DNA sequence: CGCCTTCTTGATATGGGTCAACCATGGTGG
DNA sequence: CCACCATGGTTGACCCATATCAAGAAGGCG
């Protein structure tokens, strides 16, 4: 996808040592409201993004219209790096979100380590594969809560922001099963839920939560 | 992990265009028998590999001893590129296999596009996520057969080499369910199985197979 | 021959999907 | 202000797909 990536490839093919270093112009900050799109499948991929605040969901639609969420990206995380130059998935703000956009641009000012980003995303995807294939619904939801908790280190209470339907499409479950799993976690006194949409989590027993995700 | 990768990072941090280009000495070919290990979890990661012939399974072991196969790598595919410098998974030959090893080495002769490899593996992992979460056992097995068929283009009959247990651990199913799915595919006249271990597939109805995987 | 491994098939149990109802909250318009 | 509706979450009843347990078939090998 990336221009500079293509440049890097060509240079590498000629035996030179040459990396991809796209660049951010002075101010390429994007502000999005909940559910606003960053990009869609089929579009030309001209940039990558870093989340400054809020969260983004990356998803695909199957031929029968099912949505499958590949990943959520929180503060500091990168997304939008693709193999080709056409988007293969959709990116949308989960809630009010601020992004920083980095176009492919030779005149590097802020160099970006694309390989590091790619490998981080690969590791994330592999970890998710384990969670999804090996574990029961309760464990998957526990792993998800754990993941969210890690985005808010030290905070006893945090807003997960995603709807039950987001969580379901992320974990490969149904909304009902997600809701039931949350009530089980409540019954086990592992967490409690507050907020009008029950999206604010207070962890009561982090040990027990971790024990579930093993 | 990779030395040259670290080098690339530093160079990039100085605003230069500089890529990672590990190198293959004249002859770093590895020959393995079935089930021989390439590397194991915890080892120091000093190289990446390309499959020249045969196949490799990349897997992890969960705390309860369950094996989970992240991917199979066939002819031409690369593996062993990690984020850190310690192996997080195991790599083993599925059958008699020949690999080419590429150490991290500045004195590039054969430059390698690590970003391309990372993004290819990421795309593969994402595709697998979709298969596993969205689909029934029959569809997963169909997708697997499809994947194997793609490694043997034009051949009407091919040996998948993996055991039922490999396939099960790859698709997040049990051996029994995999066997049942294969018999369903036979009953539907989509393929037939031969060979003493029923691992040689002859595709009878490729259309129907593809229709299942959609 | 007996024992092993790998695959297959059958019987049964269960986790989670599906369908349906209900609750809480918030917005809209009369 | 209240009646109405829409949205998102929870809960219950039922059923099916797949895990689990168990046994059998086919080949390899000492």
């Amino acid at each position: 996808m990336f221009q500079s990536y293509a440049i890097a490839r060509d240079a590498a093919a000629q035996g030179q040592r040459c990396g991809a270093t796209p660049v951010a112009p002075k101010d390429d900050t994007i502000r999005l409201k909940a559910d606003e799109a960053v990009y869609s499948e089929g579009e030309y991929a001209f940039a990558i993004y870093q989340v400054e605040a809020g969260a983004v969901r990356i998803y695909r639609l199957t031929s029968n219209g099912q949505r499958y969420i590949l990943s959520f990206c929180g503060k500091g995380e990168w997304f939008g790096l693709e193999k080709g130059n056409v988007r293969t998935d959709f990116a949308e703000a989960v809630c009010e979100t601020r992004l920083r956009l980095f176009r492919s641009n030779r005149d590097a000012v802020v160099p970006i380590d694309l390989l590091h980003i790619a490998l981080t995303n690969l590791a994330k995807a592999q970890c998710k594969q384990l969670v999804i294939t090996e574990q029961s619904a309760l464990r998957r939801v526990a792993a998800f809560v754990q993941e969210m908790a890690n985005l808010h280190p030290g905070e006893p209470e945090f807003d997960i922001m995603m709807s039950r339907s987001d969580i379901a499409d992320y974990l490969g479950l149904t909304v009902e099963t997600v809701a039931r799993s949350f009530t089980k976690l409540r019954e086990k006194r592992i967490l409690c839920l507050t907020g009008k949409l029950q999206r604010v989590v207070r962890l009561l027993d982090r040990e027990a939560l971790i024990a579930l995700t093993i």
Side-chain angles (χ1 to χ4, degrees), chain A residues 146-168:
Chain A
Q146 179 77 11
E147 196 184 330
M148 291 300 113
N150 289 340
L151 291 182
H152 304 266
E155 297 172 42
E157 209 173 81
F158 53 88
D159 191 334
I160 56 173
M161 291 170 304
M162 294 98 192
S163 68
R164 297 292 185 265
S165 147
D166 279 334
I167 301 170

Side-chain angles (χ1 to χ4, degrees), chain A residues 3-214:
Chain A
Q3 283 288 357
S4 52
Y5 164 59
I7 292 161
R9 280 201 71 180
D10 294 341
Q14 290 152 29
Q16 305 163 20
R17 266 192 243 104
C18 190
T21 53
V23 165
K26 265 129 239 164
D27 201 37
D28 250 334
T29 295
I30 301 176
R31 283 159 202 283
L32 297 161
K33 302 219 174 300
D35 298 322
E36 264 190 279
V38 182
Y39 58 73
S40 299
E41 191 193 335
E43 286 180 13
Y44 182 70
F46 66 91
I48 64 173
Y49 306 84
Q50 188 179 30
V51 179
E52 287 194 342
V56 169
R57 57 174 156 257
I58 311 295
Y59 66 93
R60 292 195 188 166
L61 295 176
T62 62
S63 48
N64 54 52
Q66 275 267 64
R67 182 180 71 161
Y68 178 68
I69 297 181
L70 284 165
S71 76
F72 291 115
C73 294
K75 191 180 170 187
E77 293 188 301
W78 293 82
F79 65 94
L81 183 55
E82 311 233 5
K83 205 183 146 198
N85 52 14
V86 172
R87 295 289 176 208
T88 55
D89 38 39
F90 299 82
E92 267 176 17
V94 170
C95 54
E96 202 140 314
T97 296
R98 202 171 68 244
L99 303 177
R100 199 157 169 80
L101 176 151
F102 296 82
R103 293 172 209 282
S104 58
N105 186 340
R106 298 184 184 214
D107 313 311
V109 179
V110 181
I112 301 171
D113 188 345
L114 295 183
L115 181 58
H116 187 255
I117 294 172
L119 290 175
T120 302
N121 285 335
L122 179 59
K124 225 176 127 185
Q126 288 177 341
C127 176
K128 194 175 167 232
Q129 262 187 51
L130 286 204
V131 169
I132 285 174
T133 43
E134 295 289 341
Q135 301 183 353
S136 69
L138 184 62
R139 280 159 176 266
R140 293 190 214 184
V141 173
F144 170 78
V145 172
Q146 179 77 11
E147 196 184 330
M148 291 300 113
N150 289 340
L151 291 182
H152 304 266
E155 297 172 42
E157 209 173 81
F158 53 88
D159 191 334
I160 56 173
M161 291 170 304
M162 294 98 192
S163 68
R164 297 292 185 265
S165 147
D166 279 334
I167 301 170
D169 290 351
Y170 178 63
L171 297 176
L173 302 169
T174 58
V175 260
E176 294 94 331
T177 306
V178 171
R180 277 186 254 266
S181 300
F182 269 114
T183 53
K184 270 184 199 157
L185 290 176
R186 266 197 276 114
E187 286 166 1
K188 285 172 183 280
R189 311 257 176 253
I190 290 176
L191 50 76
C192 45
L193 297 169
T194 53
K196 78 177 162 100
L197 289 173
Q198 302 288 92
R199 294 185 191 172
V200 178
V201 173
R202 173 189 288 275
L203 281 186
L204 302 176
D205 190 348
R206 188 178 283 261
E207 301 302 314
L209 183 69
I210 292 170
L212 271 179
T213 63
I214 291 172

